[in-house]
Amino acid sequence: MPIRRLSEDMVNRIAAGEVVERPASVVKELVENSIDAGATRIEVTTAAGGAALIRVSDDGSGIGRDELALAVERHCTSKLERLDDIRSLGFRGEALASIGAAARLAIASRAAGAADAWEITVEGGEQSPVRPVALSAGTRVEVRDLFFATPARLKFLKSERSEAAAVSEVVRRLAMAHPHIRFSLSGSDRMPIDLQAANGPDARIVRLAQVMGEDFRQNALPIAAEREGVRLSGFAGLPTFSRANSLAQFLFVNDRTVRDRMLLSALRGAYADLMKHDRYPVVALFIDLDPGEVDVNVHPSKAEIRFRDPGLVRGLIVGALRQAFAGSGPRTSTTHAGATVSAFRRQGARPARPTGIMWQSAYPDGNTVAVGSFAEDEQASFAVSPSADARAAVAEPESANLSRPLGAAVAQVHETYIVAQTADGLVVVDQHAAHERLVYERLKRAMDEHGLASQILLIPDVVELPAEDAERVAARADEFARLGLVLERFGPGAIAVRETPSMLGPIDSGALVRDLAEELAEWDETDTLRARLDRVASTMACHGSVRAGRHLRPEEMDALLREMEATPNASECNHGRPTYIELKLADIERLFGRR
Ligand code: ADP
Ligand code: MG
């Protein structure tokens, strides 16, 4: 389509705003232009974090000689036809004009099929005449001395390093959504990017692994779902493969990277009972829908969007992710086994850190072991030492069970861990964590099927609590009753517990009520009733579970393993800690130098 000026009316309807905030926003606009131009190769070079120079070269369709002048004018675009049908990344015709007003801009381009290449420059808004230039194909845009014309803005630039990091982040995000394009970034970055084009059916995960690290590929489940014309695809990290912040949550709508509150909250919902509240999942999810079903014209840099039917999208995400986790059978993050192996190895040579090309920038906290649950001393405790009080009950493995995913129980060590033998390795189960998950899933199933039976206490348990806690707990008595916990207010600072869920067996109702009071203080009132009940069930499960330190007979151990295999989400406890780890024979052999 030719470049033309938007009508006055259209100009007034587009979300006006400054698109050039910092080098990274310039890079975003230029690379998006290259993608819109159908490029298969995009090279970005920067100097001084992009403040001194940004150069973007592509092999896209190019701009014809007579269109160059129009390309740098405000509100001139070859893309926008209708605001309710935006299929390109750009559409406002603002970026090049804004950049030309704030910096020294030079655009050299050779339109596909044209005999020559042409160049135009703009400095502080002043256009040069178009002149011939040497360029074999595509477009090369150079932006020098960003904000030289607007010194006030210059002052807001951060350090070269943080501007460079922001540029790198922008390139990585765009690359994730466009695996077929080869991307490179060099210059101010200490970690240049060079991502080969990925093709074929695995293109997406190959690119995601290039950007997010090989670990992600090994610890993520593929997601594919569709509802009423909205398609969800991509990969969701296992709940045990979590992070301490939300930086590794990559969400795309029609291949546009977005930061959307509704989507983030849907993610929280999907992982709600698989992960502790202060952990964040690692995901790269792509939503594709008819452009008319989403408004991208809300925010100048288009990071925010508006869905016509947010409920539909939310339901799709929560449903698809939960189903993926529930259906994945026993599976725990490989990172744990890695951490454990490293712990065993610590006396000897330190294992090399993984060195994916993007590793450090993908994980700015430098946390290569993505889950913090294996603290140093915890790891050490896996080295079974024959100390006086460490009793290990050893059993003959039940041969029929050896081929099962979690194997045949052979021993209980420290009255806390079950050791099982599998076809090609060994499994260590944290009996409390595992049991907690099983009880939780049973509670939820009972809640869905027939409600929870309760058991009447002969003498009600009176639990003393601070007045406001007692108040909060009493106010939710109806909801607790659905779960078989019947309680009522007993004076200003106490609660009387009359019935407890029979499934939990005899429990310390005081401890349970106090935990619930704490849980309530953090309740998010916008959660659905079901989500809240799930959280109560999770707290209850913790109280009704086999605590560490209980001796288990071999049959009990095997029964626990079999139930884990049959239970959804059994790879992690309700707090997102893994319930078991697996060591392959190969790993063990490596530890002993046999490989
Ligand atoms: P928009 O992308 O919103 O259309 P821009 O100011 O970014 O606005 O670009 C103006 C026009 O210049 C685009 O519509 C496109 O026709 C042309 N253009 C910009 N960059 C490129 C490029 N790398 N390759 C081909 N055409 C380009
Ligand atoms: Mg653009």
Side-chain angles (χ1 to χ4, degrees):
M1 210 194 292
I3 301 183
R4 69 236 179 282
R5 198 180 305 278
L6 292 173
S7 68
E8 188 76 27
D9 168 56
M10 195 65 107
V11 168
N12 293 335
R13 280 192 290 148
I14 61 182
E18 205 39 79
V19 290
V20 186
E21 259 175 23
R22 59 189 300 193
S25 45
V26 172
V27 170
K28 175 170 186 284
E29 294 294 334
L30 297 183
V31 173
E32 287 188 347
N33 280 347
S34 299
I35 295 171
D36 282 343
T40 65
R41 211 190 62 233
I42 302 174
E43 284 166 32
V44 184
T45 310
T46 63
L53 169 72
I54 294 166
R55 184 190 302 123
V56 177
S57 305
D58 68 52
D59 63 350
S61 56
I63 309 172
R65 173 185 187 176
D66 45 346
E67 290 200 321
L68 272 174
L70 218 44
V72 296
E73 263 191 56
R74 199 167 294 277
H75 303 313
C76 290
T77 175
S78 59
K79 300 169 192 173
L80 185 66
E81 278 194 288
R82 287 168 42 199
L83 275 174
D84 61 356
D85 190 28
I86 295 169
R87 291 171 189 273
S88 49
L89 292 170
F91 56 85
R92 296 183 182 124
E94 274 184 327
L96 293 181
S98 309
I99 296 167
R104 299 183 222 279
L105 170 69
I107 305 176
S109 194
R110 180 164 171 175
D116 322 280
W118 298 86
E119 180 177 53
I120 192 169
T121 56
V122 189
E123 293 205 1
E126 285 295 306
Q127 271 186 35
S128 75
V130 174
R131 52 180 178 263
V133 70
L135 186 75
S136 57
T139 303
R140 179 185 65 219
V141 182
E142 275 183 2
V143 179
R144 288 180 193 276
D145 305 327
L146 183 61
F147 299 145
F148 86 96
T150 49
R153 290 253 174 132
L154 199 55
K155 279 195 275 196
F156 284 98
L157 288 188
K158 303 214 180 83
S159 72
E160 196 175 311
R161 234 179 97 187
S162 59
E163 295 300 342
V167 166
S168 162
E169 177 72 18
V170 158
V171 173
R172 291 197 301 117
R173 282 183 183 263
L174 287 162
M176 291 168 88
H178 300 92
H180 309 296
I181 302 178
R182 174 175 181 175
F183 284 86
S184 69
L185 168 67
S186 59
S188 345
D189 270 84
R190 287 170 310 147
M191 294 249 260
I193 296 177
D194 190 6
L195 304 169
Q196 301 297 319
N199 287 299
D202 293 338
R204 177 161 279 164
I205 186 64
V206 168
R207 175 56 58 86
L208 293 178
Q210 288 171 330
V211 175
M212 300 169 74
E214 192 52 41
D215 262 33
F216 180 66
R217 187 212 298 256
Q218 286 165 12
N219 292 291
L221 296 175
I223 304 293
E226 177 160 7
R227 201 181 284 176
E228 292 171 44
V230 183
R231 253 176 14 98
L232 176 69
S233 60
F235 292 81
L238 293 172
T240 45
F241 185 73
S242 65
R243 299 278 309 273
N245 58 47
S246 63
L247 292 178
Q249 301 183 343
F250 300 98
L251 300 166
F252 302 84
V253 174
N254 288 347
D255 288 341
R256 193 188 289 284
T257 165
V258 296
R259 235 26 241 158
D260 180 79
R261 286 170 60 106
M262 187 280 287
L263 293 178
L264 294 175
S265 113
L267 261 191
R268 261 197 310 283
Y271 281 87
D273 55 73
L274 301 170
M275 205 173 261
K276 250 183 108 147
H277 298 305
D278 58 354
R279 300 296 301 181
Y280 296 84
V282 180
V283 303
L285 292 173
F286 300 81
I287 295 160
D288 290 287
L289 71 180
D290 186 282
E293 293 297 308
V294 58
D295 187 1
V296 292
N297 181 34
V298 192
H299 184 258
S301 71
K302 309 170 192 123
E304 285 166 28
I305 46 163
R306 213 170 278 143
F307 290 100
R308 182 167 293 177
D309 187 352
L312 171 67
V313 179
R314 189 192 160 87
L316 179 66
I317 294 179
V318 175
L321 266 60
R322 290 208 168 158
Q323 199 182 342
F325 300 137
S328 72
R331 187 166 168 204
T332 191
S333 156
T334 61
T335 316
H336 297 299
T340 309
V341 170
S342 320
F344 276 115
R345 267 192 192 148
R346 233 174 326 146
Q347 299 94 330
R350 278 192 85 81
R353 278 161 87 86
T355 49
I357 52 158
M358 300 302 305
W359 190 261
Q360 253 151 17
S361 47
Y363 292 93
D365 53 7
N367 184 11
T368 55
V369 174
V371 185
S373 56
F374 281 81
E376 292 264 304
D377 50 359
E378 261 179 278
Q379 291 177 8
S381 72
F382 279 101
V384 181
S385 58
S387 73
D389 60 342
R391 272 191 304 145
V394 180
E396 200 53 42
E398 194 67 56
S399 57
N401 288 332
L402 287 172
S403 57
R404 308 242 194 187
L406 295 180
V410 288
Q412 185 192 26
V413 293
H414 292 277
E415 295 186 327
T416 303
Y417 303 106
I418 298 168
V419 180
Q421 178 175 338
T422 61
D424 61 348
L426 69 86
V427 158
V428 182
V429 175
D430 175 334
Q431 69 187 44
H432 173 62
H435 197 251
E436 186 176 312
R437 166 58 68 179
L438 299 182
V439 171
Y440 178 42
E441 294 295 333
R442 264 188 242 155
L443 282 170
K444 286 200 295 185
R445 220 174 318 132
M447 210 152 61
D448 289 341
E449 284 164 10
H450 40 73
L452 281 166
S454 60
Q455 155 182 318
I456 300 174
L457 302 180
L458 285 179
I459 307 162
D461 255 346
V462 175
V463 185
E464 308 267 344
L465 286 176
E468 69 270 20
D469 283 355
E471 177 87 42
R472 253 198 301 269
V473 171
R476 298 286 178 177
D478 285 352
E479 289 169 29
F480 295 145
R482 297 168 70 134
L483 289 156
L485 178 68
V486 178
L487 45 74
E488 65 193 24
R489 192 65 175 272
F490 194 78
I495 292 288
V497 179
R498 300 194 174 280
E499 298 172 32
T500 60
S502 357
M503 198 179 280
L504 300 184
I507 51 165
D508 176 350
S509 45
L512 173 61
V513 169
R514 271 185 286 273
D515 275 4
L516 286 174
E518 213 162 89
E519 174 76 16
L520 288 181
E522 306 178 350
W523 256 6
D524 183 348
E525 292 301 326
T526 61
D527 275 353
T528 59
L529 173 65
R530 177 61 208 235
R532 298 201 304 256
L533 289 178
D534 280 354
R535 288 177 64 169
V536 173
S538 165
T539 306
M540 286 183 172
C542 190
H543 283 265
S545 306
V546 183
R547 293 275 172 182
R550 216 195 89 190
H551 178 75
L552 294 178
R553 284 175 288 122
E555 314 85 78
E556 288 179 307
M557 292 193 266
D558 271 323
L560 189 79
L561 298 179
R562 300 293 81 81
E563 194 177 344
M564 284 173 75
E565 285 163 358
T567 301
N569 306 313
S571 311
E572 55 276 331
C573 76
N574 316 341
H575 308 298
R577 278 184 280 116
T579 52
Y580 72 94
I581 55 159
E582 187 175 9
L583 279 179
K584 297 284 184 199
L585 268 184
D587 285 328
I588 301 172
E589 286 165 1
R590 236 174 260 126
L591 289 172
F592 286 104
R594 285 167 174 256
R595 279 191 175 227

Coordinates of all heavy atoms in Angstrom, one line a residue, residues 276-323:
K276 N 3.2 -20.9 45.7 CA 3.1 -19.9 46.8 C 2.8 -18.5 46.3 O 3.2 -18.2 45.2 CB 4.4 -19.9 47.5 CG 4.4 -20.5 48.9 CD 5.8 -20.4 49.5 CE 5.6 -19.4 50.7 NZ 6.5 -19.7 51.8
H277 N 2.2 -17.7 47.1 CA 1.9 -16.3 46.6 C 3.0 -15.5 46.2 O 2.9 -14.6 45.4 CB 1.0 -15.6 47.7 CG -0.2 -16.3 48.0 ND1 -1.1 -16.7 47.0 CD2 -0.7 -16.8 49.1 CE1 -2.1 -17.3 47.5 NE2 -1.9 -17.5 48.8
D278 N 4.2 -15.7 46.8 CA 5.3 -14.9 46.4 C 6.2 -15.4 45.3 O 7.3 -15.0 45.1 CB 6.2 -14.6 47.7 CG 6.7 -15.8 48.3 OD1 6.3 -16.9 47.9 OD2 7.5 -15.7 49.3
R279 N 5.7 -16.5 44.7 CA 6.5 -17.0 43.5 C 5.7 -16.7 42.2 O 4.5 -16.5 42.2 CB 6.6 -18.5 43.6 CG 7.4 -19.0 44.8 CD 8.8 -18.5 44.9 NE 9.6 -19.0 43.8 CZ 10.9 -18.7 43.7 NH1 11.5 -18.0 44.6 NH2 11.6 -19.1 42.6
Y280 N 6.5 -16.6 41.1 CA 5.9 -16.3 39.8 C 6.2 -17.3 38.8 O 7.3 -17.7 38.7 CB 6.4 -14.9 39.4 CG 6.0 -13.8 40.3 CD1 6.7 -13.5 41.4 CD2 4.8 -13.0 40.0 CE1 6.3 -12.5 42.3 CE2 4.4 -12.0 40.9 CZ 5.2 -11.7 42.0 OH 4.8 -10.7 42.8
P281 N 5.2 -17.7 38.0 CA 5.5 -18.6 37.0 C 6.3 -18.0 35.8 O 6.3 -16.8 35.7 CB 4.1 -19.0 36.5 CG 3.2 -17.9 36.8 CD 3.8 -17.3 38.0
V282 N 6.9 -18.9 35.1 CA 7.7 -18.5 33.9 C 6.8 -18.9 32.7 O 6.6 -20.1 32.5 CB 9.0 -19.2 33.9 CG1 9.8 -18.8 32.6 CG2 9.8 -18.8 35.1
V283 N 6.4 -18.0 31.9 CA 5.5 -18.4 30.7 C 5.9 -17.6 29.5 O 6.4 -16.5 29.6 CB 4.0 -18.2 31.0 CG1 3.6 -19.0 32.2 CG2 3.7 -16.7 31.1
A284 N 5.6 -18.2 28.3 CA 5.5 -17.4 27.1 C 4.3 -17.8 26.4 O 4.2 -19.0 25.9 CB 6.8 -17.7 26.2
L285 N 3.3 -17.0 26.4 CA 1.9 -17.4 25.9 C 1.5 -16.4 24.8 O 1.8 -15.2 24.9 CB 0.9 -17.4 27.0 CG 1.1 -18.5 28.1 CD1 0.1 -18.3 29.2 CD2 0.9 -19.8 27.5
F286 N 0.9 -17.0 23.8 CA 0.5 -16.2 22.6 C -1.0 -16.3 22.5 O -1.5 -17.4 22.4 CB 1.2 -16.7 21.4 CG 2.7 -16.6 21.5 CD1 3.4 -17.6 22.3 CD2 3.4 -15.6 21.0 CE1 4.8 -17.5 22.4 CE2 4.8 -15.5 21.1 CZ 5.5 -16.5 21.8
I287 N -1.7 -15.2 22.4 CA -3.1 -15.1 22.2 C -3.3 -14.6 20.8 O -2.8 -13.5 20.4 CB -3.8 -14.3 23.2 CG1 -3.6 -14.9 24.6 CG2 -5.3 -14.1 22.9 CD1 -3.8 -14.0 25.7
D288 N -4.1 -15.3 20.0 CA -4.4 -14.8 18.6 C -5.9 -14.8 18.5 O -6.6 -15.7 18.8 CB -3.7 -15.7 17.6 CG -2.2 -15.6 17.6 OD1 -1.7 -14.6 17.1 OD2 -1.6 -16.5 18.1
L289 N -6.3 -13.6 18.0 CA -7.8 -13.4 17.8 C -8.0 -12.4 16.7 O -7.1 -11.7 16.3 CB -8.5 -13.1 19.2 CG -8.3 -11.7 19.8 CD1 -9.1 -11.6 21.0 CD2 -6.9 -11.3 20.0
D290 N -9.3 -12.4 16.3 CA -9.6 -11.4 15.3 C -9.3 -10.0 15.7 O -9.6 -9.6 16.9 CB -11.1 -11.6 15.0 CG -11.5 -10.7 13.8 OD1 -11.6 -9.5 14.0 OD2 -11.7 -11.3 12.7
P291 N -8.6 -9.2 14.9 CA -8.1 -7.9 15.3 C -9.3 -7.0 15.8 O -9.1 -6.1 16.6 CB -7.5 -7.3 14.1 CG -7.1 -8.4 13.2 CD -8.1 -9.5 13.5
G292 N -10.5 -7.3 15.3 CA -11.7 -6.6 15.8 C -12.1 -6.9 17.2 O -12.8 -6.1 17.8
E293 N -11.5 -8.0 17.8 CA -11.9 -8.4 19.1 C -11.0 -7.7 20.2 O -11.1 -8.0 21.4 CB -11.9 -9.9 19.3 CG -12.9 -10.6 18.4 CD -14.3 -10.3 18.9 OE1 -14.6 -10.4 20.1 OE2 -15.1 -9.9 18.0
V294 N -10.0 -7.0 19.7 CA -9.1 -6.4 20.7 C -8.7 -5.0 20.2 O -8.6 -4.7 19.0 CB -7.8 -7.3 20.8 CG1 -7.1 -7.5 19.5 CG2 -6.9 -6.7 21.8
D295 N -8.7 -4.0 21.2 CA -8.4 -2.7 20.8 C -6.9 -2.4 21.3 O -6.6 -2.4 22.4 CB -9.3 -1.7 21.6 CG -9.1 -0.3 21.1 OD1 -8.3 0.0 20.3 OD2 -9.8 0.6 21.7
V296 N -6.0 -2.2 20.3 CA -4.6 -1.9 20.6 C -4.4 -0.4 20.6 O -3.3 0.0 20.9 CB -3.7 -2.6 19.6 CG1 -3.7 -4.1 19.8 CG2 -3.9 -2.2 18.2
N297 N -5.4 0.3 20.3 CA -5.3 1.8 20.2 C -5.6 2.5 21.5 O -6.4 3.3 21.6 CB -6.2 2.3 19.1 CG -6.1 3.8 18.8 OD1 -5.0 4.3 19.0 ND2 -7.2 4.4 18.5
V298 N -5.0 2.0 22.6 CA -5.3 2.5 23.9 C -4.2 3.3 24.5 O -4.4 4.2 25.3 CB -5.6 1.4 24.9 CG1 -6.3 1.9 26.1 CG2 -6.5 0.3 24.2
H299 N -3.0 3.0 24.0 CA -1.8 3.4 24.7 C -0.8 3.8 23.6 O -0.7 3.1 22.6 CB -1.3 2.3 25.6 CG -0.1 2.6 26.4 ND1 1.2 2.2 26.1 CD2 0.0 3.2 27.6 CE1 2.0 2.6 27.0 NE2 1.3 3.2 28.0
P300 N 0.0 4.9 23.8 CA 0.9 5.3 22.7 C 1.9 4.2 22.3 O 2.1 4.0 21.1 CB 1.7 6.5 23.3 CG 1.0 6.9 24.5 CD 0.0 5.8 24.9
S301 N 2.5 3.5 23.3 CA 3.4 2.5 22.9 C 2.7 1.1 22.7 O 3.4 0.1 22.5 CB 4.6 2.4 23.9 OG 4.1 1.8 25.0
K302 N 1.4 1.1 22.8 CA 0.6 -0.1 22.5 C 0.9 -1.3 23.4 O 0.6 -2.4 23.1 CB 0.8 -0.5 21.0 CG 0.7 0.6 20.0 CD 1.1 0.2 18.6 CE 1.2 1.3 17.7 NZ 2.5 1.5 17.1
A303 N 1.4 -0.9 24.6 CA 1.7 -2.0 25.6 C 0.4 -2.5 26.2 O 0.2 -3.6 26.6 CB 2.7 -1.6 26.6
E304 N -0.6 -1.5 26.3 CA -1.8 -1.9 26.9 C -2.9 -2.1 25.8 O -2.8 -1.5 24.8 CB -2.4 -0.8 27.8 CG -1.6 -0.7 29.1 CD -1.9 0.6 29.8 OE1 -3.0 1.2 29.6 OE2 -1.0 1.1 30.5
I305 N -3.8 -3.0 26.1 CA -4.8 -3.4 25.1 C -6.1 -3.5 25.8 O -6.1 -3.5 27.0 CB -4.4 -4.7 24.4 CG1 -4.0 -5.7 25.5 CG2 -3.3 -4.5 23.4 CD1 -4.1 -7.1 25.0
R306 N -7.2 -3.7 25.0 CA -8.5 -3.9 25.7 C -9.2 -5.0 24.9 O -9.3 -4.9 23.7 CB -9.3 -2.6 25.6 CG -10.2 -2.5 26.8 CD -10.8 -1.1 26.8 NE -9.9 -0.1 27.4 CZ -9.8 1.2 27.0 NH1 -10.5 1.6 25.9 NH2 -9.0 2.1 27.6
F307 N -9.5 -6.1 25.6 CA -10.3 -7.1 24.9 C -11.8 -6.8 24.9 O -12.3 -6.3 25.9 CB -10.1 -8.5 25.6 CG -8.7 -9.0 25.5 CD1 -7.8 -8.9 26.5 CD2 -8.3 -9.7 24.3 CE1 -6.5 -9.4 26.4 CE2 -7.0 -10.2 24.2 CZ -6.1 -10.0 25.3
R308 N -12.4 -7.2 23.8 CA -13.9 -7.0 23.8 C -14.5 -7.9 24.8 O -15.5 -7.5 25.5 CB -14.4 -7.2 22.4 CG -15.9 -7.0 22.3 CD -16.3 -6.9 20.9 NE -15.8 -5.7 20.2 CZ -16.0 -5.5 18.9 NH1 -16.7 -6.3 18.2 NH2 -15.5 -4.4 18.4
D309 N -14.0 -9.1 24.9 CA -14.6 -10.1 25.9 C -13.5 -10.6 26.8 O -13.0 -11.7 26.6 CB -15.2 -11.2 25.1 CG -16.0 -12.2 25.9 OD1 -15.9 -12.1 27.2 OD2 -16.7 -13.0 25.4
P310 N -13.1 -9.8 27.8 CA -12.0 -10.3 28.7 C -12.3 -11.6 29.4 O -11.4 -12.4 29.6 CB -11.8 -9.1 29.7 CG -12.9 -8.1 29.4 CD -13.6 -8.5 28.2
G311 N -13.6 -11.8 29.7 CA -13.9 -13.0 30.5 C -13.6 -14.3 29.7 O -13.1 -15.3 30.2
L312 N -13.8 -14.2 28.4 CA -13.6 -15.3 27.5 C -12.1 -15.6 27.5 O -11.6 -16.8 27.6 CB -14.0 -15.0 26.1 CG -13.6 -15.9 24.9 CD1 -14.3 -17.3 25.1 CD2 -13.9 -15.3 23.6
V313 N -11.2 -14.6 27.4 CA -9.8 -14.8 27.3 C -9.3 -15.3 28.6 O -8.5 -16.3 28.7 CB -9.1 -13.5 27.0 CG1 -7.6 -13.7 26.9 CG2 -9.6 -12.9 25.6
R314 N -9.8 -14.8 29.7 CA -9.4 -15.2 31.0 C -9.7 -16.7 31.2 O -8.9 -17.5 31.7 CB -10.1 -14.4 32.1 CG -9.6 -14.6 33.5 CD -10.4 -14.0 34.6 NE -10.1 -14.7 35.8 CZ -9.1 -14.3 36.6 NH1 -8.4 -13.2 36.3 NH2 -8.8 -15.0 37.6
G315 N -10.9 -17.1 30.9 CA -11.4 -18.4 31.1 C -10.5 -19.4 30.3 O -10.2 -20.5 30.7
L316 N -10.2 -19.0 29.1 CA -9.4 -19.8 28.2 C -8.0 -20.1 28.8 O -7.5 -21.2 28.8 CB -9.2 -19.1 26.8 CG -8.4 -19.8 25.8 CD1 -9.0 -21.1 25.3 CD2 -8.2 -18.8 24.6
I317 N -7.4 -19.0 29.3 CA -6.1 -19.2 29.9 C -6.1 -20.1 31.1 O -5.3 -21.0 31.3 CB -5.5 -17.8 30.3 CG1 -5.2 -17.0 29.0 CG2 -4.2 -17.9 31.1 CD1 -4.7 -15.6 29.3
V318 N -7.0 -19.7 32.1 CA -7.1 -20.5 33.3 C -7.4 -22.0 33.0 O -6.7 -22.9 33.5 CB -8.1 -19.9 34.3 CG1 -8.2 -20.8 35.5 CG2 -7.7 -18.5 34.7
G319 N -8.4 -22.2 32.1 CA -8.8 -23.5 31.8 C -7.6 -24.3 31.2 O -7.3 -25.5 31.6
A320 N -7.0 -23.7 30.2 CA -6.0 -24.5 29.4 C -4.8 -24.8 30.2 O -4.2 -25.9 30.2 CB -5.6 -23.6 28.2
L321 N -4.3 -23.9 31.1 CA -3.2 -24.1 31.9 C -3.4 -25.2 32.9 O -2.6 -26.1 33.1 CB -2.6 -22.8 32.5 CG -1.5 -22.1 31.7 CD1 -2.0 -21.7 30.3 CD2 -1.0 -20.9 32.4
R322 N -4.6 -25.0 33.6 CA -4.9 -26.0 34.7 C -5.0 -27.4 34.1 O -4.5 -28.4 34.6 CB -6.2 -25.7 35.3 CG -6.1 -24.4 36.1 CD -7.1 -24.5 37.3 NE -6.8 -23.4 38.2 CZ -7.6 -22.9 39.1 NH1 -8.9 -23.3 39.1 NH2 -7.3 -22.0 39.9
Q323 N -5.6 -27.5 32.9 CA -5.7 -28.8 32.3 C -4.3 -29.3 31.9 O -4.1 -30.5 32.1 CB -6.6 -28.6 31.0 CG -7.2 -29.9 30.5 CD -7.9 -29.7 29.3 OE1 -8.3 -28.6 28.9 NE2 -8.2 -30.8 28.5

